[in-house]
Amino acid sequence: MVRYEYDEEASAAEHMDVVYEVDDSQAPVSRWVDAMRRLNTINDPLARKLIALHRDCGSGSGVCDDIDDDPDPMDRRAGWGCETTEIIASHFDIEYPRGTASDPP
């Protein structure tokens, strides 16, 4: 997905409209939010309790964060916040949003 941003300063300096392409294809926040919404639709009682326990993993304050070496926020990661959440999501066929094949992991 590509969006465009207007550059006011460059436009004033060049005396013409200057617009830059911004590539959002890696894992746009909207795709990450959609994946989280699908995760939150799971109705299995045990899965709900485990998701609640691991809700903040990856944010810096979750149960699994003491072994987390990845400082990136959830919407910039290549996977779920922790292995437990990843297993639950996989069981219910919910994939973490990925970028295109050419994007870095």
Side-chain angles (χ1 to χ4, degrees), residues 9-44:
E9 290 180 17
S11 295
E14 298 289 326
H15 302 291
M16 61 187 284
D17 289 336
V18 176
V19 178
Y20 297 106
E21 264 188 22
V22 178
D23 185 7
D24 279 345
S25 63
Q26 185 171 353
V29 173
S30 62
R31 287 181 27 210
W32 178 77
V33 168
D34 182 56
M36 293 305 289
R37 284 182 180 150
R38 285 183 281 129
L39 188 67
N40 288 330
T41 64
I42 296 171
N43 291 322
D44 180 88

Side-chain angles (χ1 to χ4, degrees), residues 53-68:
L53 180 65
H54 291 267
R55 176 184 52 136
D56 294 326
C57 294
S59 68
S61 61
V63 176
C64 299
D65 286 336
D66 60 334
I67 57 170
D68 191 6

